[in-house]
Amino acid sequence: SMAWSARGGGGAKIDLLKGAASDFVETILNDSEEDRVSISIIPYSTKVNAGEDLLEQYTVTQEHDYSHCVDFNADDYTDLAISPRTELQRTGHFQFQQMSTSDPRSGQWVCRHDGGFSITPLSKSVSDLKRQIAALTPEGSTSIDMGAKWGLALLDPSARGPVSALIASGQVDASFRERPHPHDAENSMKVLVLMTDGKNDNEYRLQPEYASGDAKVIRTTSTASHLFYTVDAPETNGTNDGSWPNNERYFYATHPFEEERMWDEHTLRDNPRLERYANQLEEKHLSWPEVWAEMSPEYYGYNLYGRQGNSWWSWNSRLQSFWQNMHSTIGTDEKDRRLRNICAAAQRAGIVIYAIGMDVDSQNSLDLLKECASTEAHYFDVDGLEIQTAFDMIAASISMLRLTK
């Protein structure tokens, strides 16, 4: 929705945000004593991509390395810390929304991994921060709770080890050694600026049985760059192509030399009838992470699972059943509760929170932002171009607070 036109004109909401946020970064850093202020940028949509370098400093499960998001549990939102020693569940790398049964790569990634979407931790470079802001693009659903969780974690002393490691590798400036400071440190102030144009939406996760392990899918690639997928799924009465013999082992939604939708006793490379082509074929048995990196659940669920059904009208039904079984969701009410909890923890720690709702229609979301903000004066309900005023006022407020520290 950040791609939509802003209320009252001025262009797309994302472009107005970019301008206001860039000016904010420039104002805050140019008005600060050298090496006193660090700024982190945490883009969020369905998830937050911590980025490979930052996430390497934490203990994370290793099902794949295609993207760098993690799943948090409800209890994680009662504490600002993300412990580098506690194992985090890596988010399954798969597509959702705008998927297609005909195009395997159509869809939006649950964990976005496009340029500009990874976290920028503790920077004092106006040019680097503005470059990331300029690279932001709108896509996916909304997890305000996830953005707040990571933003606050990078203000918490538990991030000191990861920050030190990033300093050692040249990813963070050495002037920020020993940060984040303790929450009660003298001459120190911690601020979260939280902005959204909507409300929390469902969070999507792979069920464990589809997050790792053998997918029983074989990818066959020919020297002519043709691509075929075979599923190790023995033919049964409920899945039958009507051709003799029955009970063959491998299902083909598309076969390069035979009719579509068939079973066979052999993979393409091992098929004696296709022996003359064997040296032109390369086969690989795929894990579930490899499957999801190559095709959306909708493409798989329809072509490699749904079409095993006996009748064409059952194919879509099997697809829907597969989609429901292969993923779970964290609903909006639970995500709202998590946001309340993490904001309350931040307020107890003395972190100053500014909350901005831009063109937000949901009164519940606005109430939640107001509750999250440190005071009512730290909450902004703005339309379109007013986003610039909100960021200007926040910058001025931070400057005034800094004078009292």
Side-chain angles (χ1 to χ4, degrees):
S1 59
M2 286 294 290
W4 300 349
S5 295
R7 290 177 188 163
K13 288 186 282 185
I14 186 69
D15 293 330
L16 296 181
L17 170 63
K18 288 179 180 182
S22 293
D23 289 349
F24 172 83
V25 163
E26 195 163 358
T27 298
I28 291 292
L29 289 176
N30 288 346
D31 192 34
S32 303
E33 184 181 340
E34 183 72 18
D35 299 336
R36 286 284 290 164
V37 176
S38 61
I39 294 178
S40 301
I41 296 177
I42 297 85
Y44 67 92
S45 57
T46 308
K47 292 282 189 174
V48 169
N49 190 336
E52 183 176 9
D53 294 328
L54 176 59
L55 203 60
E56 277 185 352
Q57 315 313 319
Y58 293 88
T59 306
V60 185
T61 61
Q62 297 298 315
E63 293 87 352
H64 66 85
D65 61 358
Y66 297 114
S67 56
H68 308 287
C69 300
V70 297
D71 297 336
F72 293 115
N73 298 318
D75 289 348
D76 296 323
Y77 287 85
T78 63
D79 188 354
L80 302 182
I82 300 178
S83 171
R85 294 177 297 278
T86 300
E87 186 177 66
L88 302 170
Q89 176 61 54
R90 187 183 293 267
T91 297
H93 185 72
F94 69 104
Q95 294 166 303
F96 79 120
Q97 292 187 164
Q98 300 181 7
M99 294 182 291
S100 168
T101 59
S102 59
D103 181 357
R105 299 308 297 268
S106 176
Q108 297 178 346
W109 294 105
V110 165
C111 178
R112 288 181 58 180
H113 55 99
D114 46 298
F117 198 74
S118 299
I119 288 175
T120 294
L122 279 73
S123 175
K124 65 176 183 178
S125 169
V126 172
S127 59
D128 287 350
L129 292 164
K130 290 177 69 172
R131 190 177 304 115
Q132 176 170 16
I133 292 169
L136 295 176
T137 56
E139 184 178 285
S141 61
T142 305
S143 292
I144 311 169
D145 55 325
M146 188 78 66
K149 172 64 181 175
W150 269 110
L152 292 165
L154 291 177
L155 295 173
D156 188 80
S158 62
R160 187 175 296 174
V163 169
S164 295
L166 293 175
I167 290 173
S169 64
Q171 303 294 313
V172 170
D173 195 279
S175 60
F176 298 139
R177 198 175 306 278
E178 302 302 321
R179 295 196 185 192
H181 297 307
H183 289 301
D184 58 356
E186 293 185 4
N187 300 317
S188 177
M189 181 174 65
K190 302 184 181 191
V191 177
L192 176 72
V193 181
L194 182 63
M195 180 269 166
T196 183
D197 75 325
K199 59 183 180 179
N200 276 321
D201 204 346
N202 288 338
E203 178 184 329
Y204 295 82
R205 300 183 178 186
L206 287 176
Q207 295 286 17
E209 59 266 37
Y210 294 103
S212 63
D214 181 12
K216 298 188 181 301
V217 173
I218 300 164
R219 180 187 65 212
T220 304
T221 310
S222 74
T223 53
S225 299
H226 294 131
L227 191 64
F228 301 94
Y229 293 100
T230 311
V231 182
D232 188 347
E235 184 179 20
T236 65
N237 286 336
T239 58
N240 193 307
D241 60 10
S243 300
W244 185 260
N246 282 336
N247 204 31
E248 295 165 310
R249 179 171 177 180
Y250 296 104
F251 171 71
Y252 293 86
T254 302
H255 192 287
F257 305 109
E258 306 285 349
E259 69 272 17
E260 290 191 347
R261 192 181 173 273
M262 59 173 286
W263 272 263
D264 200 298
E265 278 295 330
H266 305 279
T267 66
L268 290 178
R269 185 176 174 83
D270 294 337
N271 195 319
R273 291 179 296 151
L274 307 175
E275 186 175 358
R276 65 186 184 277
Y277 299 105
N279 63 351
Q280 302 175 31
L281 303 175
E282 180 178 329
E283 288 186 349
K284 177 177 174 57
H285 290 250
L286 302 181
S287 66
W288 281 118
E290 289 172 323
V291 167
W292 303 138
E294 298 188 21
M295 66 184 74
S296 70
E298 183 165 319
Y299 184 90
Y300 173 93
Y302 183 80
N303 293 284
L304 302 186
Y305 177 74
R307 293 186 66 201
Q308 294 179 31
N310 283 344
S311 55
W312 67 267
W313 53 264
S314 72
W315 300 349
N316 196 61
S317 176
R318 286 171 62 86
L319 160 62
Q320 296 305 318
S321 174
F322 173 77
W323 170 245
Q324 293 302 319
N325 290 332
M326 61 82 63
H327 85 286
S328 63
T329 59
I330 308 297
T332 57
D333 289 346
E334 172 60 23
K335 291 170 72 62
D336 288 351
R337 188 159 39 247
R338 295 180 180 195
L339 180 58
R340 286 190 181 91
N341 288 341
I342 198 68
C343 288
Q347 290 171 5
R348 289 193 296 270
I351 294 175
V352 179
I353 302 178
Y354 296 90
I356 306 173
M358 179 187 187
D359 290 3
V360 174
D361 294 320
S362 166
Q363 188 58 50
N364 178 70
S365 186
L366 291 174
D367 291 342
L368 192 56
L369 290 173
K370 185 184 294 187
E371 183 180 341
C372 189
S374 293
T375 71
E376 200 162 325
H378 292 74
Y379 157 74
F380 298 85
D381 175 11
V382 300
D383 288 343
L385 291 167
E386 295 172 349
I387 188 81
Q388 181 72 53
T389 304
F391 270 101
D392 289 345
M393 292 177 67
I394 292 171
S397 176
I398 291 172
S399 296
M400 290 296 294
L401 286 170
R402 205 163 50 211
L403 293 175
T404 68
K405 291 291 184 180

